[in-house]
Amino acid sequence: MSKKLLTMQDLSCVGQCSLTVALPILSAYGLETCVLPTAVLSNHTMFETWSYLDLTNELPNIFDKWKKNNFKFDAFLLGYLGKADLMELAKQCFAQFSNDGAKIIIDPVFGDNGKLYGGFDLNYVAEMRKLLKYADIILPNVTEACFLTGTEYVADYDFNLIVTLERELKKITDAKIIITGVEIGGNIGEVISGNKKGEILWHELLPVKKHGTGDIFASVFTANYLRGKNLRDCCNAAAKFVADCIKKTDEAHFYGVDFEKVLNSK
């Protein structure tokens, strides 16, 4: 039987990120993908203006109906939540709707390039730090790992910073740790840290950055993990998928990547 996965993140009506990439990608890999939208945005926040409908108050109503329908999930993928209040609701969701052995994968999604995204603060980071204790796998980027551990971010970092982040993250959670978007010496990659000393996987560093690629990475990673792949193979598959998306995206397409072209040829 297909695994039933619940992904909890926002829905941007226009813009290739969050649920609009997670749902098609995870479904294409054969997972029954259920969604729990945390908010509905007219479009994501790289555009000049947007609307935002907060769905936090609706989640208890959804949980009530799920409980009555006896819904359970084999895995959870959490992305952009947006509000600290949602952390407690996420914990309730795990407690009430997990099948035995359900895996929890959390991509913190609150910052990049040494800064928090707009609308986030240190209280959000503190609550996310608590939530990570429930995870089986976490996927922070370097900035998020710095904030989570209280480590100073420097733009021109070396591998010593990554070793520090690994060590400090292990104090926060027993989850397997994948630090994404590590850029050192003209390379980009992920550091995989389980019970042993971490290993780093290097990939082609492309000359452009695109919105939503972290969400795509998390989706492809999760799909491969739930297919039984090891962490190294999951990272390699996700990184290749993202790189292929960027290569197929026109330079003028500023708000995301044409992941559909890659998914269609999968």
Side-chain angles (χ1 to χ4, degrees), residues 23-146:
L23 179 56
I25 290 173
L26 291 162
S27 297
Y29 275 86
L31 297 168
E32 181 182 345
T33 306
C34 307
V35 300
L36 185 60
T38 57
V40 176
L41 286 75
S42 57
N43 44 272
H44 67 60
T45 56
M46 275 195 68
F47 291 91
E48 185 175 345
T49 184
W50 61 87
S51 67
Y52 183 96
L53 175 63
D54 182 6
L55 296 180
T56 304
N57 291 336
E58 182 60 23
L59 265 57
N61 297 328
I62 292 173
F63 290 173
D64 177 64
K65 301 306 180 290
W66 284 0
K67 192 171 183 179
K68 290 175 180 176
N69 284 306
N70 197 32
F71 292 152
K72 299 283 185 178
F73 304 100
D74 302 303
F76 300 85
L77 171 61
L78 274 64
Y80 183 103
L81 299 182
K83 289 181 63 178
D85 294 349
L86 287 160
M87 310 289 182
E88 190 59 40
L89 289 168
K91 296 173 193 176
Q92 293 176 26
C93 189
F94 303 153
Q96 295 182 49
F97 305 112
S98 293
N99 274 327
D100 291 342
K103 299 299 183 182
I104 298 171
I105 301 169
I106 300 179
D107 182 2
V109 192
F110 59 70
D112 204 0
N113 299 314
K115 298 179 180 179
L116 296 174
Y117 295 140
F120 291 103
D121 57 20
L122 293 181
N123 179 59
Y124 185 89
V125 175
E127 293 303 313
M128 177 60 73
R129 188 180 298 118
K130 297 175 186 176
L131 186 64
L132 296 185
K133 295 177 181 178
Y134 294 80
D136 293 285
I137 298 175
I138 63 171
L139 301 167
N141 62 31
V142 175
T143 294
E144 290 156 353
C146 284

Side-chain angles (χ1 to χ4, degrees), residues 186-204:
N187 298 302
I188 190 168
E190 305 84 42
V191 170
I192 303 173
S193 182
N195 296 324
K196 300 179 181 179
K197 185 178 179 181
E199 65 170 321
I200 189 160
L201 303 178
W202 292 119
H203 312 291
E204 179 183 5

